[in-house]
Amino acid sequence: MSAVQKQTADVFSSDWRSFATVRRIEHCLLRPGGVAVQWDDGRKSLFHTEWLRDNCPCETCVHPVTREQVFEIIDTPVDLHAESAGLNGQGELAIGWSDGHRSVFGAGWLRAHAYDHATRLERLSAERTVQMWRNDLPIPTFDYQAVMSDDRALLAWLLASRDVGLTRMVNMPTTEETMEQVARRISFIRESNFGVVFEVRTKVEAVNSNAYTTLELPHHTDLPTRELQPGLQFLHCLVNDATGGDSTFVDGFAIAHQLRLEHPEAFELLTQIPVSFRNKAPQSDYRSLAPIIGLNARGEVSEIRLANWLRAPFDVAERDMPAFYQAYRTFSALTRQPEFIVRKRLNAGEMWCFDNRRTMHARQAFDQASGMRHLRGCYMDRDELLSRILVLQRAE
Ligand code: OGA
Ligand code: ZN
Ligand code: ZN
């Protein structure tokens, strides 16, 4: 058996998912510096020598059990080149290297990772899954039993939590352990100084949060005082017999988008100038410094960070202070505009799950004398949600 045939038979994905051959390689051409591939839909992709060598999926370069790379490109000479490039019987790209090594790349994997302009644009648009919303959002609603027993229902719930950033679960038991069970169906809960699970009900000594009073809470994200705000927040209602206390939500991304369109200079200030947030209590003192509108590495809005009552005094250059206050007012005013506000009362046996780094939540004041109100909450990082989605999608 030749080396190429053996590698083809043993080929495994260095990822844990498989890459279907959506497009066949029509032909390939060895060029100085790389290999030009022509696909059966006419697309042309250039793969540079170093890139191909770096991504060799063979069992010497990638550990067959961990599927993580053991090869380091720095161990190859800079003048390493491909001596042959061709298609094998499976339509895979086989490369013979000047140092004798051989690599085989599946067409599906290669197309999924190609970096020609058109493929990169395609990938970028596939990764942009955010669906922005306003007050007419039909809140995506999911059944507890279905999510607990069926992976497809679980995936649908998680995709909505990722893309819409606000979901509701119904028909849940009102027992204490239920929310944790549902959260653990996704992954690890993120513990905080408020506990693995926090209880939202009035406390006699509400020393560490306004949430534990009967006050109205304006639209906010939770734990803006942390370097990394929790991604998902769950709020499970055990009892809601009090008058008032309805939940409202706004899509922070939709608001940031509106601000960018109508007040670009305010948008700029809120993305550039950091604000410090503080949560101080007798036994803790959490502080963070970050802008209210966070951008990701591509310059897209990826995070909102704001709880009015957890801000430290603005520490902004003198010349910028008036404009910064104006920007802050404009943004906050948008969070009060009815066209953005989704309002719904959470009843016993229902649960909110929302993207706490995007969807700002609020609660109306309630009357403690009129009845009990008891919610339980917990957090989870976005990474856990995204990882669970990808693993569930492997089975599709
Ligand atoms: C909170 C909070 C919402 C509610 O505890 O941070 O937003 O409905 N609670 O009580
Ligand atoms: Zn290799
Ligand atoms: Zn909150």
Side-chain angles (χ1 to χ4, degrees), residues 217-234:
L217 294 177
H219 284 115
H220 66 282
T221 58
D222 272 20
L223 308 199
T225 52
R226 309 307 160 87
E227 186 176 15
L228 176 66
Q229 299 185 103
L232 285 186
Q233 177 167 172
F234 304 80

Side-chain angles (χ1 to χ4, degrees), residues 53-122:
R53 184 62 193 86
D54 195 18
N55 289 295
C56 176
C58 85
E59 292 194 10
T60 315
C61 296
V62 178
H63 191 284
V65 177
T66 67
R67 307 194 187 192
E68 289 177 339
Q69 197 175 32
V70 285
F71 167 81
E72 290 190 70
I73 192 68
I74 198 168
D75 293 326
T76 57
V78 281
D79 63 351
L80 179 84
H81 56 277
E83 281 180 343
S84 65
L87 296 180
N88 67 14
Q90 280 76 48
E92 299 164 321
L93 176 65
I95 312 272
W97 300 100
S98 53
D99 63 359
H101 197 72
R102 300 191 70 85
S103 304
V104 178
F105 300 92
W109 183 90
L110 212 49
R111 175 72 175 216
H113 294 86
Y115 50 92
D116 60 88
H117 188 62
T119 308
R120 293 187 74 215
L121 281 183
E122 229 169 59

Side-chain angles (χ1 to χ4, degrees), residues 198 200 209 211-212 217 220 222 233 235 245-247 309 352 354 361-364 366 373 375 379:
F198 52 90
V200 185
S209 178
Y212 303 140
L217 294 177
H220 66 282
D222 272 20
Q233 177 167 172
L235 280 174
D246 286 7
S247 309
W309 70 96
W352 296 122
F354 54 91
H361 61 289
R363 139 191 114 202
Q364 300 184 314
F366 60 96
R373 184 178 192 275
L375 311 188
Y379 304 116

